[in-house]
Amino acid sequence: MRADRGLHGFVTLLTYLPSYLTAVNGRDTGTAGLLMLLLTAPVLVCPMLAARLVGRGVRPLTLVFLSLACLVLGDLALTVLSPSVGAPVLAGPMLVTGAGMGLSAGLVDGQALALVDPAKAGMAAGFLNTLRLGSEAVAVAVYGSALATALGRRVGDGIDGYPGAADAARVADQAAGGDLVGAAGLSDAADRTGFAEFLTRAYDSAFRSVLWGLAAVGLVLAALIAVLLRAGRRPAD
Protein backbone atom coordinates (compact mmCIF):
# COMPACT_ATOMS: atom_id res chain seq x y z
CA MET A 1 0.00 0.00 0.00
CA ARG A 2 2.84 2.39 0.76
CA ALA A 3 4.38 1.62 -2.62
CA ASP A 4 1.17 2.90 -4.18
CA ARG A 5 1.82 6.33 -2.63
CA GLY A 6 4.95 6.71 -4.74
CA LEU A 7 2.81 6.61 -7.88
CA HIS A 8 1.10 9.87 -6.85
CA GLY A 9 4.24 11.70 -8.17
CA PHE A 10 3.00 10.63 -11.62
CA VAL A 11 -0.55 11.87 -10.97
CA THR A 12 0.67 15.31 -9.90
CA LEU A 13 2.77 15.63 -13.05
CA LEU A 14 -0.17 14.52 -15.14
CA THR A 15 -2.16 17.37 -13.58
CA TYR A 16 0.35 20.23 -13.61
CA LEU A 17 2.83 19.52 -16.42
CA PRO A 18 0.38 20.62 -19.17
CA SER A 19 0.17 24.05 -17.51
CA TYR A 20 3.96 24.29 -17.54
CA LEU A 21 4.18 23.31 -21.20
CA THR A 22 1.65 25.96 -22.24
CA ALA A 23 2.50 28.79 -19.83
CA VAL A 24 6.29 28.53 -19.67
CA ASN A 25 7.36 26.41 -22.62
CA GLY A 26 5.09 28.32 -24.98
CA ARG A 27 3.34 25.27 -26.48
CA ASP A 28 -0.21 25.46 -27.74
CA THR A 29 -2.70 23.14 -26.09
CA GLY A 30 -2.67 20.62 -28.95
CA THR A 31 1.12 20.30 -28.93
CA ALA A 32 1.15 20.05 -25.13
CA GLY A 33 -1.40 17.23 -25.35
CA LEU A 34 0.77 15.35 -27.84
CA LEU A 35 3.81 15.76 -25.59
CA MET A 36 1.82 14.35 -22.67
CA LEU A 37 1.53 11.10 -24.65
CA LEU A 38 5.21 10.58 -23.84
CA LEU A 39 4.20 10.43 -20.19
CA THR A 40 1.08 8.31 -20.59
CA ALA A 41 1.96 5.88 -23.39
CA PRO A 42 4.22 3.69 -21.16
CA VAL A 43 1.24 3.14 -18.85
CA LEU A 44 -0.42 1.19 -21.67
CA VAL A 45 2.58 -1.05 -22.29
CA CYS A 46 4.45 -1.52 -19.03
CA PRO A 47 1.69 -3.32 -17.06
CA MET A 48 1.77 -6.11 -19.65
CA LEU A 49 5.55 -6.17 -19.47
CA ALA A 50 5.42 -6.39 -15.67
CA ALA A 51 2.93 -9.28 -15.81
CA ARG A 52 5.17 -11.14 -18.23
CA LEU A 53 8.23 -10.60 -16.06
CA VAL A 54 6.40 -11.85 -12.97
CA GLY A 55 5.29 -14.88 -14.96
CA ARG A 56 8.91 -15.60 -15.75
CA GLY A 57 9.93 -15.53 -12.11
CA VAL A 58 10.83 -11.90 -11.41
CA ARG A 59 9.80 -10.97 -7.87
CA PRO A 60 6.97 -8.40 -7.76
CA LEU A 61 8.85 -6.48 -5.09
CA THR A 62 11.76 -6.07 -7.49
CA LEU A 63 9.43 -4.43 -9.98
CA VAL A 64 7.98 -2.18 -7.28
CA PHE A 65 11.46 -0.89 -6.42
CA LEU A 66 12.25 -0.53 -10.12
CA SER A 67 9.05 1.47 -10.50
CA LEU A 68 10.02 3.81 -7.66
CA ALA A 69 13.52 4.18 -9.15
CA CYS A 70 12.03 5.18 -12.51
CA LEU A 71 9.75 7.72 -10.86
CA VAL A 72 12.63 9.26 -8.90
CA LEU A 73 14.98 9.34 -11.89
CA GLY A 74 12.21 10.72 -14.08
CA ASP A 75 11.47 13.52 -11.61
CA LEU A 76 15.15 14.39 -11.38
CA ALA A 77 15.59 14.30 -15.14
CA LEU A 78 12.56 16.54 -15.64
CA THR A 79 14.45 19.34 -13.89
CA VAL A 80 15.91 19.97 -17.37
CA LEU A 81 12.62 21.79 -17.99
CA SER A 82 13.13 25.36 -19.15
CA PRO A 83 11.25 27.87 -21.28
CA SER A 84 13.26 26.79 -24.32
CA VAL A 85 13.51 23.01 -23.80
CA GLY A 86 12.58 20.93 -26.84
CA ALA A 87 10.58 17.73 -27.24
CA PRO A 88 13.66 15.50 -27.87
CA VAL A 89 15.12 16.52 -24.50
CA LEU A 90 11.80 15.97 -22.72
CA ALA A 91 11.17 12.56 -24.29
CA GLY A 92 13.57 10.57 -22.12
CA PRO A 93 12.48 11.89 -18.70
CA MET A 94 8.79 11.65 -19.57
CA LEU A 95 9.07 8.09 -20.88
CA VAL A 96 11.02 6.98 -17.79
CA THR A 97 8.46 8.58 -15.47
CA GLY A 98 5.60 6.94 -17.36
CA ALA A 99 7.38 3.59 -17.17
CA GLY A 100 7.63 4.01 -13.40
CA MET A 101 3.86 4.34 -13.22
CA GLY A 102 3.20 1.54 -15.69
CA LEU A 103 5.37 -1.06 -14.01
CA SER A 104 3.36 -0.81 -10.80
CA ALA A 105 -0.09 -0.23 -12.27
CA GLY A 106 -2.11 -3.27 -11.29
CA LEU A 107 0.87 -5.03 -9.73
CA VAL A 108 0.52 -3.31 -6.36
CA ASP A 109 -3.21 -4.02 -6.32
CA GLY A 110 -2.63 -7.69 -7.07
CA GLN A 111 -0.06 -8.03 -4.32
CA ALA A 112 -2.32 -6.32 -1.79
CA LEU A 113 -5.39 -8.38 -2.68
CA ALA A 114 -3.36 -11.59 -2.52
CA LEU A 115 -3.09 -11.03 1.24
CA VAL A 116 -6.87 -10.86 1.69
CA ASP A 117 -9.33 -13.68 2.27
CA PRO A 118 -10.85 -14.43 -1.20
CA ALA A 119 -14.32 -14.04 0.30
CA LYS A 120 -13.49 -10.43 1.12
CA ALA A 121 -11.64 -9.60 -2.13
CA GLY A 122 -14.47 -7.42 -3.48
CA MET A 123 -14.64 -5.33 -0.34
CA ALA A 124 -10.86 -5.04 -0.25
CA ALA A 125 -10.73 -3.93 -3.90
CA GLY A 126 -13.31 -1.23 -3.21
CA PHE A 127 -11.40 -0.02 -0.17
CA LEU A 128 -8.15 0.01 -2.15
CA ASN A 129 -9.66 2.09 -4.95
CA THR A 130 -11.21 4.51 -2.47
CA LEU A 131 -7.92 4.90 -0.66
CA ARG A 132 -6.01 5.43 -3.90
CA LEU A 133 -8.38 8.03 -5.34
CA GLY A 134 -8.61 9.88 -2.05
CA SER A 135 -4.87 9.97 -1.51
CA GLU A 136 -4.33 11.04 -5.14
CA ALA A 137 -6.62 14.01 -4.56
CA VAL A 138 -4.63 14.92 -1.45
CA ALA A 139 -1.33 14.55 -3.33
CA VAL A 140 -2.51 16.82 -6.15
CA ALA A 141 -3.68 19.42 -3.62
CA VAL A 142 -0.38 19.29 -1.71
CA TYR A 143 1.59 19.61 -4.94
CA GLY A 144 -0.48 22.61 -5.99
CA SER A 145 -0.02 24.21 -2.59
CA ALA A 146 3.74 23.64 -2.71
CA LEU A 147 3.94 25.12 -6.20
CA ALA A 148 1.86 28.15 -5.22
CA THR A 149 3.98 28.71 -2.09
CA ALA A 150 7.28 28.46 -3.97
CA LEU A 151 5.99 30.75 -6.71
CA GLY A 152 4.60 33.23 -4.18
CA ARG A 153 8.00 33.57 -2.53
CA ARG A 154 9.72 34.22 -5.85
CA VAL A 155 7.14 36.79 -6.91
CA GLY A 156 7.27 38.50 -3.53
CA ASP A 157 11.06 38.69 -3.63
CA GLY A 158 11.25 40.11 -7.15
CA ILE A 159 8.16 42.25 -7.67
CA ASP A 160 9.77 45.39 -6.24
CA GLY A 161 12.15 45.45 -9.20
CA TYR A 162 9.28 46.37 -11.54
CA PRO A 163 7.89 49.90 -11.14
CA GLY A 164 4.16 50.01 -10.67
CA ALA A 165 3.86 46.30 -9.91
CA ALA A 166 1.93 45.51 -6.75
CA ASP A 167 -0.33 42.97 -5.05
CA ALA A 168 2.21 40.14 -5.14
CA ALA A 169 -0.11 37.61 -3.46
CA ARG A 170 -2.88 38.08 -6.01
CA VAL A 171 -0.44 37.97 -8.91
CA ALA A 172 1.16 34.78 -7.57
CA ASP A 173 -2.22 33.09 -7.14
CA GLN A 174 -3.16 33.87 -10.74
CA ALA A 175 0.22 32.74 -12.04
CA ALA A 176 0.07 29.47 -10.07
CA GLY A 177 -2.89 28.44 -12.23
CA GLY A 178 -0.73 28.81 -15.33
CA ASP A 179 -2.23 32.13 -16.47
CA LEU A 180 0.97 34.18 -16.60
CA VAL A 181 -0.44 36.74 -19.04
CA GLY A 182 -3.44 37.39 -16.81
CA ALA A 183 -1.16 37.59 -13.77
CA ALA A 184 1.02 40.18 -15.50
CA GLY A 185 -2.12 42.21 -16.25
CA LEU A 186 -3.10 42.21 -12.58
CA SER A 187 0.21 43.68 -11.50
CA ASP A 188 -0.15 47.12 -13.14
CA ALA A 189 3.57 46.97 -13.90
CA ALA A 190 4.83 49.72 -16.18
CA ASP A 191 6.86 47.20 -18.15
CA ARG A 192 4.18 44.58 -18.76
CA THR A 193 6.37 42.51 -21.09
CA GLY A 194 9.33 42.48 -18.73
CA PHE A 195 7.10 41.53 -15.80
CA ALA A 196 5.56 38.67 -17.80
CA GLU A 197 9.08 37.37 -18.50
CA PHE A 198 9.85 37.63 -14.78
CA LEU A 199 6.75 35.57 -13.98
CA THR A 200 7.81 32.96 -16.53
CA ARG A 201 11.19 32.61 -14.86
CA ALA A 202 9.58 32.48 -11.41
CA TYR A 203 7.12 29.76 -12.44
CA ASP A 204 9.90 27.77 -14.09
CA SER A 205 12.06 27.95 -10.97
CA ALA A 206 9.18 27.06 -8.64
CA PHE A 207 8.11 24.10 -10.78
CA ARG A 208 11.61 22.62 -10.84
CA SER A 209 11.95 23.10 -7.08
CA VAL A 210 8.80 21.05 -6.51
CA LEU A 211 10.17 18.35 -8.85
CA TRP A 212 13.19 18.05 -6.57
CA GLY A 213 10.76 17.63 -3.70
CA LEU A 214 8.92 14.84 -5.54
CA ALA A 215 12.18 13.02 -6.12
CA ALA A 216 13.03 13.32 -2.42
CA VAL A 217 9.63 11.90 -1.45
CA GLY A 218 10.23 8.93 -3.77
CA LEU A 219 13.59 8.22 -2.16
CA VAL A 220 12.10 8.40 1.34
CA LEU A 221 9.28 6.02 0.35
CA ALA A 222 11.75 3.53 -1.11
CA ALA A 223 13.79 3.59 2.10
CA LEU A 224 10.63 3.26 4.23
CA ILE A 225 9.42 0.25 2.24
CA ALA A 226 12.81 -1.43 2.62
CA VAL A 227 12.82 -0.85 6.40
CA LEU A 228 9.25 -2.10 6.85
CA LEU A 229 9.92 -5.20 4.81
CA ARG A 230 13.01 -5.99 6.83
CA ALA A 231 11.07 -5.52 10.07
CA GLY A 232 8.29 -7.74 8.75
CA ARG A 233 10.67 -10.60 8.03
CA ARG A 234 12.00 -10.79 11.57
CA PRO A 235 8.93 -12.42 13.17
CA ALA A 236 8.82 -14.95 10.34
CA ASP A 237 12.49 -15.75 10.85
Side-chain angles (χ1 to χ4, degrees):
M1 297 294 290
R2 290 174 177 84
D4 198 39
R5 306 298 188 277
L7 305 185
H8 298 342
F10 174 86
V11 177
T12 54
L13 286 176
L14 203 62
T15 303
Y16 289 98
L17 188 54
S19 295
Y20 181 95
L21 293 174
T22 54
V24 177
N25 204 230
R27 310 278 181 174
D28 58 66
T29 53
T31 303
L34 289 174
L35 283 174
M36 290 301 294
L37 289 176
L38 294 171
L39 191 65
T40 55
V43 181
L44 301 176
V45 178
C46 289
M48 293 181 287
L49 175 61
R52 182 169 296 183
L53 290 173
V54 170
R56 293 185 176 181
V58 177
R59 294 178 64 218
L61 187 59
T62 300
L63 294 178
V64 170
F65 278 113
L66 179 59
S67 169
L68 285 171
C70 287
L71 288 169
V72 171
L73 290 175
D75 287 340
L76 291 175
L78 278 172
T79 57
V80 301
L81 285 168
S82 71
S84 60
V85 69
V89 177
L90 282 176
M94 293 178 76
L95 288 170
V96 169
T97 305
M101 173 64 177
L103 286 172
S104 291
L107 183 63
V108 172
D109 288 15
Q111 293 300 301
L113 294 176
L115 301 175
V116 179
D117 184 344
K120 298 180 179 179
M123 180 180 65
F127 174 75
L128 185 62
N129 287 330
T130 300
L131 185 63
R132 178 190 294 108
L133 293 173
S135 56
E136 283 177 358
V138 171
V140 169
V142 169
Y143 186 99
S145 177
L147 178 62
T149 300
L151 180 58
R153 289 176 180 171
R154 286 162 175 77
V155 172
D157 290 343
I159 197 171
D160 290 339
Y162 296 86
D167 203 354
R170 188 181 175 199
V171 169
D173 287 342
Q174 185 79 10
D179 184 9
L180 302 186
V181 175
L186 289 174
S187 69
D188 294 328
D191 181 8
R192 191 74 57 83
T193 301
F195 190 74
E197 292 175 352
F198 159 69
L199 289 179
T200 298
R201 294 191 300 271
Y203 191 100
D204 173 59
S205 176
F207 195 90
R208 285 187 285 111
S209 295
V210 179
L211 283 176
W212 284 103
L214 276 180
V217 169
L219 287 173
V220 170
L221 282 172
L224 178 62
I225 291 169
V227 169
L228 290 174
L229 287 172
R230 180 175 298 179
R233 289 193 190 105
R234 287 172 185 165
D237 292 341

